[in-house]
């Protein structure tokens, strides 16, 4: 079921509908009366290939206000306006869409869109907290251009990212509890860059795909997610608060700030271990083909710093990217697990053609309690859920 509330972002729901139908899903659209002022019934019918349900009175003998919610595998509301969130939180049933929300026994996903002041209002925040406490996934809105010349937080997340969140919920199934509701999860992703001069840097091959997959999976499981991304060119994951950084020190500062009060910190980024001792303010010139000597210094170990100051109850997940064979990589990972005082460490073999930039990953998860999970090659999305399963185990 695709619910559409009455906001200007309703036109973007057309693209979301197209992605849902083209991926093989049967979609019934339930627009509010206000939504039909933005996108007409004929558009929804043509894109979905299904009749459009607009009120509780049409085909009353089929009892649509009960049947539609019961039959759904997933209910997505995009855009979800401040008004719709308020009515859903209060349990009102004054139109077909709110009736569907009350009768649905499947996962429900809200993608809010509204002006910044409306999103930040205490009433809206209280309504969002109420919905999340019931196990409903409410994405964080994106930051960007709003109606008119306004810019800020409140923009509807991109349809492709709402689609990705919907697919995550469908894959988990109707009986899968949103087991991270009420939890704050900090995730890092990407690879840091250490500038040599204004045009050159020391970096690595990390694409950020695994960290982004973990962030998306945590959002789908109900968590509040802060994603600290270093030099990543991927679309912003819907529902995560994104902090962009470049250098290892910037990553360190952002993670230390976000980790305060977080329930879990998952260090999937690849920070540079070294940086130039000095930054040259102008481009280094090539003189007679002689290469300059570059002096390096060691960067701080962010995960070890987090582990040394980890509050009781917080789960720290480190990563160990190794170029050795599996067993030597696991041995190195075990040493890092102890040294960083992490609860879990994800060990994987990396290289030019392995892991970095790929869609799949093979890993071993080690625990401070001695557990070892050797996983087959999985999609990075599936590996993300396996990692979060182990985090949930630690909470329990």
């Amino acid at each position: 079921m695709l619910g559409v509330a009455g906001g200007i972002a309703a036109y973007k729901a057309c693209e979301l509908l197209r992605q849902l139908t083209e991926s093989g899903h049967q979609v019934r659209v339930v627009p509010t009366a206000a939504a039909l002022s933005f996108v007409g019934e004929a558009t929804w019918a043509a894109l979905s290939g299904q009749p459009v349900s607009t009120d509780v009175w049409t085909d009353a003998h089929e009892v649509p206000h009960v049947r539609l919610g019961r039959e759904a595998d997933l209910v997505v509301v995009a855009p979800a306006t401040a008004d719709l969130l308020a009515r859903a939180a209060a349990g009102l049933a004054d139109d077909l869409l709110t009736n569907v929300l009350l009768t649905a026994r499947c996962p429900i996903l809200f993608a809010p869109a509204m002006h910044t002041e409306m999103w930040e209002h205490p009433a809206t925040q209280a309504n969002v907290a109420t919905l999340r406490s019931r196990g409903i996934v409410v994405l964080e809105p994106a930051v960007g251009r709003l109606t008119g010349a306004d810019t800020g937080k409140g923009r509807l997340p991109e349809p492709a990212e709402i689609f990705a969140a919907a697919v995550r919920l469908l894959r988990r199934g109707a009986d899968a509890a949103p087991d991270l509701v009420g939890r704050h999860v900090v995730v890092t992703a990407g690879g840091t860059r250490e500038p040599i001069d204004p045009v050159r840097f020391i970096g690595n091959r990390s694409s950020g795909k695994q960290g982004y997959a973990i962030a998306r999976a945590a959002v789908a499981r109900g968590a509040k997610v802060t994603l600290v991304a270093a030099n990543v060119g991927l679309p912003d994951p819907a529902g995560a608060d994104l902090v962009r950084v470049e250098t290892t020190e910037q990553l360190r500062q952002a993670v230390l700030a976000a980790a305060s009060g977080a329930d879990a910190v998952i260090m999937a980024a690849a920070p540079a271990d070294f940086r130039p001792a000095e930054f040259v303010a102008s481009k280094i010139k090539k003189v007679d083909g002689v290469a300059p000597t570059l002096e390096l210094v060691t960067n701080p170990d962010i995960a070890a710093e987090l582990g040394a100051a980890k509050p009781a109850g917080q789960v720290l997940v480190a990563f160990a990217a190794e170029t050795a064979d599996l067993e030597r990589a696991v041995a190195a990972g075990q040493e890092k697990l102890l040294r960083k005082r992490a609860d879990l460490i994800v060990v994987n073999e990396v290289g030019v053609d392995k892991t970095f930039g790929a869609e799949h990953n093979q890993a071993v998860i080690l625990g401070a309690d001695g557990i070892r999970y050797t996983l087959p090659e999985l999609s990075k999305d599936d590996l993300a859920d396996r990692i979060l399963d182990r985090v949930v185990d630690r909470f329990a």
Side-chain angles (χ1 to χ4, degrees):
M1 306 299 304
L2 174 60
V4 185
I8 185 61
Y11 78 93
K12 291 185 178 181
C14 295
E15 174 62 19
L16 173 60
L17 174 57
R18 185 189 66 79
Q19 294 189 39
L20 289 167
T21 55
E22 289 188 358
S23 62
H25 300 292
Q26 181 180 355
V27 185
R28 290 289 297 270
V29 181
V30 182
T32 65
L36 294 174
S37 296
F38 293 97
V39 181
E41 182 177 340
T43 299
W44 301 122
L47 291 174
S48 67
Q50 300 288 329
V52 177
S53 303
T54 60
D55 61 69
V56 297
W57 310 112
T58 303
D59 297 323
H61 64 286
E62 296 182 356
V63 199
H65 71 289
V66 174
R67 178 177 57 82
L68 293 175
R70 284 179 175 174
E71 291 178 351
D73 298 300
L74 174 68
V75 178
V76 181
V77 182
T81 59
D83 173 73
L84 191 283
L85 292 173
R87 290 190 288 136
L92 297 181
D94 54 356
D95 64 5
L96 184 57
L97 179 53
T98 49
N99 274 270
V100 168
L101 293 172
L102 284 178
T103 57
R105 293 298 178 265
C106 60
I108 297 174
L109 172 67
F110 285 105
M114 64 198 73
H115 268 71
T116 306
E117 295 85 352
M118 300 174 75
W119 172 253
E120 293 177 347
H121 194 283
T124 302
Q125 290 301 302
N127 291 331
V128 169
T130 296
L131 292 167
R132 286 174 172 164
S133 71
R134 297 173 185 159
I136 293 172
V137 177
V138 183
L139 301 179
E140 290 289 314
V143 176
R145 183 72 175 268
L146 306 172
T147 305
D150 292 345
T151 299
K153 188 169 186 177
R155 180 183 176 91
L156 184 74
E158 290 303 310
E161 289 302 310
I162 302 173
F163 170 75
V167 168
R168 300 294 308 174
L169 286 173
L170 285 168
R171 289 181 64 186
R172 284 182 56 76
D175 297 328
D179 49 13
L180 290 175
V181 168
R183 301 288 190 177
H184 179 199
V185 178
V186 177
V187 183
T188 67
T192 61
R193 296 175 179 178
E194 305 298 335
I196 299 170
D197 62 22
V199 298
R200 302 181 180 93
F201 61 84
I202 297 172
N204 58 65
R205 298 177 183 273
S206 178
S207 66
K209 289 182 178 180
Q210 187 63 74
Y212 271 49
I214 295 169
R216 289 191 183 96
V219 167
R221 294 169 78 146
K224 170 181 169 57
V225 177
T226 301
L227 175 61
V228 184
N231 307 295
V232 178
L234 301 171
D236 297 351
D241 282 326
L242 184 63
V243 180
R244 294 192 182 277
V245 298
E246 181 178 359
T247 67
T248 298
E249 180 57 28
Q250 290 171 355
L251 179 72
R252 174 180 172 271
Q253 294 293 338
V255 171
L256 291 178
S260 177
D263 296 287
V265 182
I266 303 176
M267 296 293 294
D273 292 322
F274 312 102
R275 69 179 187 275
E278 294 184 6
F279 172 74
V280 180
S282 58
K283 180 182 176 182
I284 301 172
K285 299 295 185 180
K286 182 168 60 176
V287 180
D288 298 328
V290 177
T293 300
L294 188 64
E295 182 183 356
L296 301 177
V297 295
T298 302
N299 269 326
D301 188 326
I302 304 171
E305 186 174 355
L306 289 168
K310 187 166 67 72
Q314 186 181 81
V315 176
L316 175 62
V317 183
F319 272 65
E322 301 291 339
T323 56
D325 61 68
L326 181 61
E327 288 308 314
R328 285 192 295 166
V330 167
Q334 186 68 48
E335 184 275 328
K336 289 181 179 180
L337 174 70
L338 297 174
R339 175 165 48 84
K340 296 174 188 288
R341 303 183 191 179
D343 298 282
L344 297 164
I345 193 163
V346 181
V347 183
N348 51 16
E349 185 182 355
V350 298
V352 175
D353 298 317
K354 294 181 179 179
T355 304
F356 289 143
E359 300 301 326
H360 292 76
N361 201 348
Q362 187 171 5
V364 176
I365 302 176
L366 304 175
D369 56 359
I371 61 96
R372 170 175 171 166
Y373 296 94
T374 301
L375 302 174
E377 184 174 279
L378 299 167
S379 71
K380 289 185 174 179
D381 285 340
D382 287 337
L383 178 57
D385 270 318
R386 299 291 184 92
I387 294 169
L388 291 175
D389 287 343
R390 305 286 76 80
V391 171
V392 171
D393 288 346
R394 293 303 177 279
F395 290 151

